[in-house]
Amino acid sequence: MDLHELTRQLNTKNDSKIVMYVGDGLGGLPQHPGGKTELETAQTPNLDKLATEGISGGSLPVAHGISPGSGPGHLGLFGYDPLKYLIGRGALEATGIGFELKEGDVAIRANFCTVDDAGNITDRRAGRLPTEESAPLAVKLREVSIPNVEIFVEPVKEHRFVLVLRGTGVNEGKLNGNVHDTDPQATGVPPLAAQAAEPDSKVTAEICDEFVKQARVLLAGQPKANCCTLRGVASKPSLPSYEEVYGLRAAAIAVYPMYKGLAQLVGMDILGEAKTLDEQMQVLKENWDAYDFFFIHFKYTDSTGEDGDFDAKVKRTEDYDAAVPQIMELGPDVFIATGDHSTPAMLASHSWHPVPTLLWAKNCRPDGCDSFGEDQCLRGGLGQFEAKHLMTLALANAGRLAKFGA
Amino acid sequence: MDLHELTRQLNTKNDSKIVMYVGDGLGGLPQHPGGKTELETAQTPNLDKLATEGISGGSLPVAHGISPGSGPGHLGLFGYDPLKYLIGRGALEATGIGFELKEGDVAIRANFCTVDDAGNITDRRAGRLPTEESAPLAVKLREVSIPNVEIFVEPVKEHRFVLVLRGTGVNEGKLNGNVHDTDPQATGVPPLAAQAAEPDSKVTAEICDEFVKQARVLLAGQPKANCCTLRGVASKPSLPSYEEVYGLRAAAIAVYPMYKGLAQLVGMDILGEAKTLDEQMQVLKENWDAYDFFFIHFKYTDSTGEDGDFDAKVKRTEDYDAAVPQIMELGPDVFIATGDHSTPAMLASHSWHPVPTLLWAKNCRPDGCDSFGEDQCLRGGLGQFEAKHLMTLALANAGRLAKFGA
């Protein structure tokens, strides 16, 4: 019996509210030996107070030593085992630009490339042509027409675009992501033909080839982007919804498309068009009565970490803290502050270190923590735990889980 | 997706060096209530310094409450789930005496026994005859000749010897370990015939019976060892190599055959013929450039624990510590000190207690530990973890794991 079999069986409804407030890349490292981390350096009086009343711990997004991307990082927080639910690269790319994938869709990361008269690739990234040049070309590719397939082409950045194939008519429900990349990962050779990895992927592979064939006609004469390669072919991941597994009406309040997309994959409603944390809090307030669970995503603890800017991450962590009272005054029953992974400024990248996590609710067993930071979390009452367990703890603390067994 | 699927997918190469320095049976217990363990009593300035800079924790070799033998203990440290990869007794016995098993070999623990004129066992261990008497008899059994089988007989201690069957000709690749013991575990009855547990083991069972039949002829007239029984029939375990699962060129520097054998099972090269820890360190130095990963095994923290000699274990622990500078001056990127299990002198046996473990690397998050011992490890930043996760942590800290997912 896995976690979701448990929560499907045990979840009960009440009028409690759960808020999961995610500071992306929240965990860090000291800037110098003996020093403090970004979170420990930041002034976070609001989170410190909640840590004193609640319970703290260290969340392992996937497993010991594994540095996750945003996809597995968030799936873990949402309670979906990131080693079981894998999101293909194409599906994640489409999700990341806000494309709403439907059941049966196949999403593909595509690159413009340059080929010579013999059809051999001379530049796998078409000279990294600027987005102003590549975006109109991507839009032009919407002219490709293949029977029984709806085709979506969405510009991304520079040489990249997203291709989504949606089967219609005889192809409805027949397409899938088991097709190998057509990028040969080399120059001086032609793009590969699309190869089906499984017999039932032949139709999808043929459509991929037909797309590239027509694209070459549409791109003929372009100085740089006169061809394209297809990579990371992936079916829309099939994830049970929050309503199904937890009995929760769930909503996401995020600024960036990637996080809206990930939330959508687990059936959350995407609320508002907030561009700032204050606007996110406004959206939360306006929708407070309509949902049981809110996922609020704050990006800048990660982006400053990725930039390797310790001080900026400290500042952004203080912004993250400063918004907390706006959540708490709404009276949530369970409040969780955590991250999808650590992004220490010292590493300027996602890392494997446990993520500081605090859970505040009425019936937390006291753990002696009196501030929110990596060192305190290490000694906290939640111990070190895999992120996928956090949702079960949230439900329990919200009084939404019945007893297991008699 | 299991841990090795992850590491196969994510491992990347660089020029980092990882050293896993295993003090066999390292963990202990206080000699009296309120006292210190062997490791806490020992003066270990070198490990204490590394614990201050690195991160500590308690390793569970297999699972809570499980006291492992050397086989599962080391498999866990090597990152091979000891509940998934089982090494049959015969294979472990052969490994323990330094016999290099080949793919398809079947290894068997054999006992000399005494039977009466009616063929009933009168002594299951042939009066525990001394090794000086038993070894020549084991060598004599090499005269057994069976078509399409290469037969190896290796003396062990007292009444024990190892029998290895290697199929040739029509039997090549046809033998396996699914054969029941022939020891009836009782006297007054004859040895059992070898019984195949699976239909495809019939040939192996017949070979076992033929071996015993010929052995009885060769041993006829011996006053004690005039027959033998076969136990723990086991195929060579099939383990993926360090190179396959981690992308590591790995080497083992051990004194005792058992640990060389275990390392060989996971594809490590066995270096040198060191007889002392100083010689082991010399071998390490000489081979430093040729490998990415070194497993160094120190036996005496276990053997003194097994002897129930607290003070001797303290002394041997100090020897273990004293060699650390010779490792560190080579400049490893990741240094791990741990054990394959605990062997408290108070129990004079392997135990289930978590094993003190320290990981030293550049980007460890500080955990406030300032010495190496059971009590500090309990509060350390690695928490309590299953040993199989240690290799993933080692790879992460060596910068040898790419991000999981985008």
Side-chain angles (χ1 to χ4, degrees), chain B residues 368-388:
Chain B
C369 291
D370 58 8
S371 67
F372 187 46
E374 286 80 350
D375 184 64
Q376 291 271 318
C377 283
L378 183 55
R379 286 149 236 287
L382 291 175
Q384 250 177 51
F385 60 94
E386 290 172 67
K388 67 182 179 187

Side-chain angles (χ1 to χ4, degrees), chain B residues 143-157:
Chain B
E143 291 171 24
V144 169
S145 169
I146 302 174
N148 298 311
V149 191
E150 201 173 345
I151 290 174
F152 303 86
V153 184
E154 300 293 336
V156 186
K157 209 178 153 190

Side-chain angles (χ1 to χ4, degrees), chain B residues 251-255 269 271 274 279-281 283-284 294-297:
Chain B
I253 307 173
V255 172
D269 284 352
L271 302 181
E279 286 173 14
Q280 285 177 278
M281 295 304 158
V283 172
L284 176 68
F294 296 90
F295 157 56
I296 307 173
H297 182 267

Side-chain angles (χ1 to χ4, degrees), chain A residues 215-405:
Chain A
R216 290 181 75 156
V217 175
L218 291 165
L219 299 171
Q222 285 295 328
K224 287 183 270 189
N226 63 357
C227 189
C228 64
T229 56
L230 308 181
R231 300 181 307 144
V233 182
S235 302
K236 173 185 182 294
S238 199
L239 297 160
S241 73
Y242 254 51
E243 179 65 50
E244 279 173 70
V245 295
Y246 305 132
L248 291 172
R249 297 170 301 164
I253 307 173
V255 172
Y256 286 80
M258 173 65 85
Y259 312 98
K260 295 180 184 178
L262 287 166
Q264 211 157 40
L265 289 177
V266 296
M268 293 190 202
D269 284 353
I270 310 306
L271 302 182
E273 294 284 342
K275 296 275 172 262
T276 66
L277 193 47
D278 275 344
E279 287 173 13
Q280 286 177 277
M281 294 304 157
Q282 192 53 41
V283 172
L284 175 67
K285 200 168 164 182
E286 287 162 6
N287 291 276
W288 188 249
D289 293 333
Y291 294 91
D292 309 310
F293 178 93
F294 297 89
F295 157 56
I296 307 173
H297 182 266
F298 180 69
K299 176 69 180 168
Y300 306 103
T301 32
D302 177 63
S303 45
T304 49
E306 290 262 21
D307 290 346
D309 191 335
F310 190 96
D311 295 337
K313 191 174 173 196
V314 169
K315 175 69 184 65
R316 290 307 208 159
T317 303
E318 293 180 346
D319 295 344
Y320 173 70
D321 177 76
V324 168
Q326 295 184 67
I327 300 172
M328 296 313 290
E329 72 193 14
L330 296 170
D333 297 274
V334 178
F335 169 85
I336 292 168
T338 186
D340 55 336
H341 51 76
S342 294
T343 307
M346 296 308 292
L347 299 181
S349 70
H350 294 197
S351 82
W352 62 90
H353 301 86
V355 184
T357 299
L358 94 77
L359 186 154
W360 177 93
K362 199 173 50 184
N363 295 315
C364 293
R365 185 180 283 165
D367 64 358
C369 291
D370 58 6
S371 67
F372 187 46
E374 286 80 350
D375 185 64
Q376 289 272 318
C377 284
L378 183 54
R379 284 147 236 289
L382 291 176
Q384 250 178 53
F385 61 93
E386 290 173 66
K388 66 182 179 187
H389 295 290
L390 197 51
M391 275 305 302
T392 330
L393 283 164
L395 291 169
N397 278 280
R400 283 177 174 268
L401 280 188
K403 190 163 68 177
F404 173 58

Side-chain angles (χ1 to χ4, degrees), chain A residues 51-364:
Chain A
T52 307
E53 299 168 6
I55 189 163
S56 301
S59 158
L60 295 166
V62 177
H64 288 278
I66 302 299
S67 304
S70 299
H74 278 85
L75 285 193
L77 290 180
F78 296 161
Y80 295 70
D81 187 340
L83 293 176
K84 176 179 172 184
Y85 295 101
L86 305 173
I87 306 180
R89 302 292 299 221
L92 195 69
E93 188 90 348
T95 298
I97 60 165
F99 187 92
E100 190 174 343
L101 292 171
K102 300 220 179 300
E103 211 58 50
D105 282 0
V106 170
I108 304 167
R109 307 162 80 202
N111 278 0
F112 286 113
C113 64
T114 314
V115 295
D116 61 20
D117 292 344
N120 292 324
I121 296 176
T122 55
D123 190 319
R124 289 176 51 239
R125 296 182 187 83
R128 287 190 185 275
L129 76 171
T131 310
E132 309 86 82
E133 290 177 35
S134 64
L137 293 176
V139 170
K140 189 176 178 61
L141 294 183
R142 293 176 182 167
E143 292 171 25
V144 169
S145 169
I146 302 174
N148 299 311
V149 190
E150 200 173 347
I151 290 174
F152 303 84
V153 183
E154 300 294 336
V156 187
K157 209 177 152 190
E158 297 173 345
H159 56 287
R160 299 198 303 270
F161 65 93
V162 163
L163 168 64
V164 176
L165 308 175
R166 180 172 296 164
T168 60
V170 296
N171 282 337
E172 196 176 330
K174 292 282 186 290
L175 307 188
N176 66 52
N178 297 319
V179 174
H180 294 300
D181 291 2
T182 71
D183 181 346
Q185 300 281 337
T187 55
V189 293
L192 303 170
Q195 281 224 318
E198 306 284 345
D200 69 350
S201 313
K202 270 198 178 160
V203 174
T204 314
E206 284 163 14
I207 292 167
C208 287
D209 282 340
E210 178 62 23
F211 177 87
V212 174
K213 189 178 150 198
Q214 293 189 29
R216 290 181 75 156
V217 175
L218 291 165
L219 299 171
Q222 285 295 328
K224 287 183 270 189
N226 63 357
C227 189
C228 64
T229 56
L230 308 181
R231 300 181 307 144
V233 182
S235 302
K236 173 185 182 294
S238 199
L239 297 160
S241 73
Y242 254 51
E243 179 65 50
E244 279 173 70
V245 295
Y246 305 132
L248 291 172
R249 297 170 301 164
I253 307 173
V255 172
Y256 286 80
M258 173 65 85
Y259 312 98
K260 295 180 184 178
L262 287 166
Q264 211 157 40
L265 289 177
V266 296
M268 293 190 202
D269 284 353
I270 310 306
L271 302 182
E273 294 284 342
K275 296 275 172 262
T276 66
L277 193 47
D278 275 344
E279 287 173 13
Q280 286 177 277
M281 294 304 157
Q282 192 53 41
V283 172
L284 175 67
K285 200 168 164 182
E286 287 162 6
N287 291 276
W288 188 249
D289 293 333
Y291 294 91
D292 309 310
F293 178 93
F294 297 89
F295 157 56
I296 307 173
H297 182 266
F298 180 69
K299 176 69 180 168
Y300 306 103
T301 32
D302 177 63
S303 45
T304 49
E306 290 262 21
D307 290 346
D309 191 335
F310 190 96
D311 295 337
K313 191 174 173 196
V314 169
K315 175 69 184 65
R316 290 307 208 159
T317 303
E318 293 180 346
D319 295 344
Y320 173 70
D321 177 76
V324 168
Q326 295 184 67
I327 300 172
M328 296 313 290
E329 72 193 14
L330 296 170
D333 297 274
V334 178
F335 169 85
I336 292 168
T338 186
D340 55 336
H341 51 76
S342 294
T343 307
M346 296 308 292
L347 299 181
S349 70
H350 294 197
S351 82
W352 62 90
H353 301 86
V355 184
T357 299
L358 94 77
L359 186 154
W360 177 93
K362 199 173 50 184
N363 295 315
C364 293

Side-chain angles (χ1 to χ4, degrees), chain A residues 28 67 69-71 353-354 379 384, chain B residues 363 365 367 381 392 396 403-404 406:
Chain A
S67 304
S70 299
H353 301 86
R379 284 147 236 289
Q384 250 178 53
Chain B
N363 294 311
R365 188 180 278 165
D367 64 359
T392 329
K403 191 163 69 174
F404 172 58

